[in-house]
Amino acid sequence: MPLTFDELFSSPDHYLQSFEEGQAVFVPMDRAAYHRSIFLDHRISPAADQKMAVPVASLAARTPVARPLSWIFHMAHCGSTLLARALDDPAASLVLREPLSLRQTAIQRTPARLPLVLAMLGKSYRADAPTLVKANVPVNFLLPQLAAADPGARAVLLYLPLRAYLLAILRHDNHRTWLRNVTTQLAPYVGDWSALSDAERGAALWLAQVNAFTDTLAVMKNARTLDAERLFDDPVPVLKAAAEHLGVPIDGSALAAVVAGPLFSTYSKNPSVAFDNAARIARAAEVAEAIAPELDVARAWVARHAPGGAPDAALIDAALIR
């Protein structure tokens, strides 16, 4: 029996995975598929190997008002996957990590699709628990539209101070390639940074996202910031505060068990790789020594472009947990 539009808009089992040439591409999902899909882009692990395409125009004409969502916005490479996976209890909120349709909406600058995307993301297996969406970097530049769509949405804005951020995104060639690629994709929002060095690009991206988060705090009354170092150093109280703030129904004992389990002793993006906070600290020290001149270049770039002092002061003031 063919699916109805009502079913597409109501059941998370029908997941809008991407847009392709005027078509909305759906894949079958279930609770287990969402839980095991660390990301919902090309790395998605659907419930079955099949796809269904529906004209975007047909869906847009029938789009209902989206259910309220909770959000994790972040700067990349600052623990967002760890945070989102720690809050992903299959009996609690549905957690969507980096939905491709949302990223495409940002990269392709098609905000007219946003009501459709939000309606699809808002589907849930529990009527009493909001779906939690972990966005990615391009979505930070859609924050004005997302805030306008739901200024009361609960959100955590996850960030790192400048030095720690640079140590994360300049630590090896793969991350530097990501930095160049994403800043090139974001040129319609931020301008042409092709003449900048890696250190300057990193500084510019950090400052652009600090500014985006600062502006968001002024219009989203339920947005709070989180310095990722707090999550790494003392995860249990941070997770308890995040779950409470985001409306994710997980009790403290369950979160403590998550911290004591394999998630916090392996790499969050690849559970087959051992990694913990001690390893992160040791790695950061090695990177800091290796890129010390670039850190100076980046600090100087920020000082020139944000001469008023600490550009992330508002983020510190709006902290979820102190």
Coordinates of all heavy atoms in Angstrom, one line a residue, residues 36 38 81 85 262-263 265-275:
R36 N 22.2 3.6 15.9 CA 23.5 3.2 15.4 C 24.1 4.1 14.4 O 25.3 4.0 14.1 CB 23.4 1.7 14.8 CG 22.6 1.6 13.6 CD 22.7 0.2 13.0 NE 21.9 0.1 11.8 CZ 20.7 -0.4 11.8 NH1 20.1 -0.9 12.9 NH2 20.0 -0.5 10.7
I38 N 25.8 7.0 13.6 CA 26.5 8.1 14.3 C 26.3 9.4 13.6 O 26.2 10.5 14.2 CB 28.0 7.7 14.4 CG1 28.2 6.5 15.3 CG2 28.8 8.9 14.9 CD1 29.6 6.1 15.5
T81 N 29.7 15.3 18.9 CA 29.3 13.9 18.7 C 29.2 13.2 20.0 O 28.3 12.4 20.3 CB 30.2 13.2 17.7 OG1 30.2 14.0 16.5 CG2 29.7 11.8 17.4
R85 N 25.8 11.6 21.4 CA 25.7 10.2 21.7 C 25.4 9.9 23.1 O 24.7 8.9 23.5 CB 27.0 9.5 21.2 CG 27.1 9.5 19.6 CD 28.3 8.6 19.2 NE 28.0 7.2 19.5 CZ 29.0 6.3 19.7 NH1 30.2 6.7 19.6 NH2 28.6 5.1 20.0
P262 N 31.9 2.5 27.5 CA 32.8 2.6 26.4 C 32.8 3.9 25.7 O 33.8 4.3 25.0 CB 32.4 1.4 25.5 CG 31.0 1.1 25.9 CD 30.9 1.4 27.3
L263 N 31.7 4.6 25.7 CA 31.6 5.9 24.9 C 32.7 6.8 25.3 O 33.3 7.5 24.4 CB 30.2 6.5 25.1 CG 30.0 7.8 24.4 CD1 30.1 7.6 22.8 CD2 28.6 8.4 24.7
S265 N 35.6 6.1 26.6 CA 36.9 5.6 26.5 C 37.3 5.2 25.0 O 38.3 4.6 24.8 CB 37.1 4.3 27.4 OG 36.2 3.3 27.0
T266 N 36.5 5.7 24.1 CA 36.7 5.4 22.7 C 36.4 6.7 21.9 O 35.9 7.7 22.5 CB 35.8 4.3 22.1 OG1 34.4 4.6 22.3 CG2 36.2 3.0 22.7
Y267 N 36.9 6.8 20.7 CA 36.7 8.0 19.8 C 35.2 8.0 19.4 O 34.7 7.0 18.9 CB 37.6 7.9 18.6 CG 37.6 9.1 17.7 CD1 37.6 10.3 18.2 CD2 37.6 8.9 16.3 CE1 37.7 11.4 17.4 CE2 37.6 10.0 15.5 CZ 37.7 11.3 16.0 OH 37.7 12.4 15.2
S268 N 34.5 9.1 19.7 CA 33.1 9.2 19.5 C 32.6 9.0 18.1 O 31.5 8.5 17.9 CB 32.6 10.5 20.1 OG 33.1 11.6 19.3
K269 N 33.5 9.3 17.1 CA 33.1 9.2 15.7 C 33.5 7.8 15.2 O 33.0 7.4 14.1 CB 33.8 10.2 14.9 CG 33.4 11.7 15.1 CD 34.1 12.6 14.2 CE 33.6 14.1 14.3 NZ 34.0 14.6 15.7
N270 N 34.3 7.1 16.0 CA 34.8 5.7 15.5 C 35.0 4.9 16.8 O 36.1 4.9 17.3 CB 36.0 5.8 14.7 CG 36.5 4.5 14.2 OD1 35.9 3.4 14.5 ND2 37.5 4.4 13.3
P271 N 34.0 4.2 17.3 CA 34.1 3.4 18.5 C 35.2 2.3 18.5 O 35.5 1.8 19.6 CB 32.7 2.8 18.7 CG 31.8 3.7 17.9 CD 32.6 4.1 16.7
S272 N 35.8 2.0 17.4 CA 36.8 1.0 17.4 C 38.2 1.6 17.8 O 39.1 0.8 18.0 CB 36.9 0.4 16.0 OG 37.4 1.4 15.0
V273 N 38.3 2.9 18.0 CA 39.5 3.5 18.3 C 39.5 3.9 19.8 O 38.6 4.7 20.2 CB 39.8 4.7 17.4 CG1 41.1 5.5 17.9 CG2 39.9 4.3 16.0
A274 N 40.5 3.5 20.6 CA 40.5 3.9 22.0 C 40.9 5.3 22.1 O 41.8 5.8 21.4 CB 41.6 3.0 22.7
F275 N 40.2 6.1 23.0 CA 40.5 7.5 23.2 C 39.8 8.0 24.4 O 38.6 7.7 24.6 CB 40.0 8.3 21.9 CG 40.5 9.7 21.9 CD1 41.8 10.0 21.7 CD2 39.6 10.8 22.1 CE1 42.2 11.4 21.6 CE2 40.0 12.1 22.1 CZ 41.3 12.4 21.9

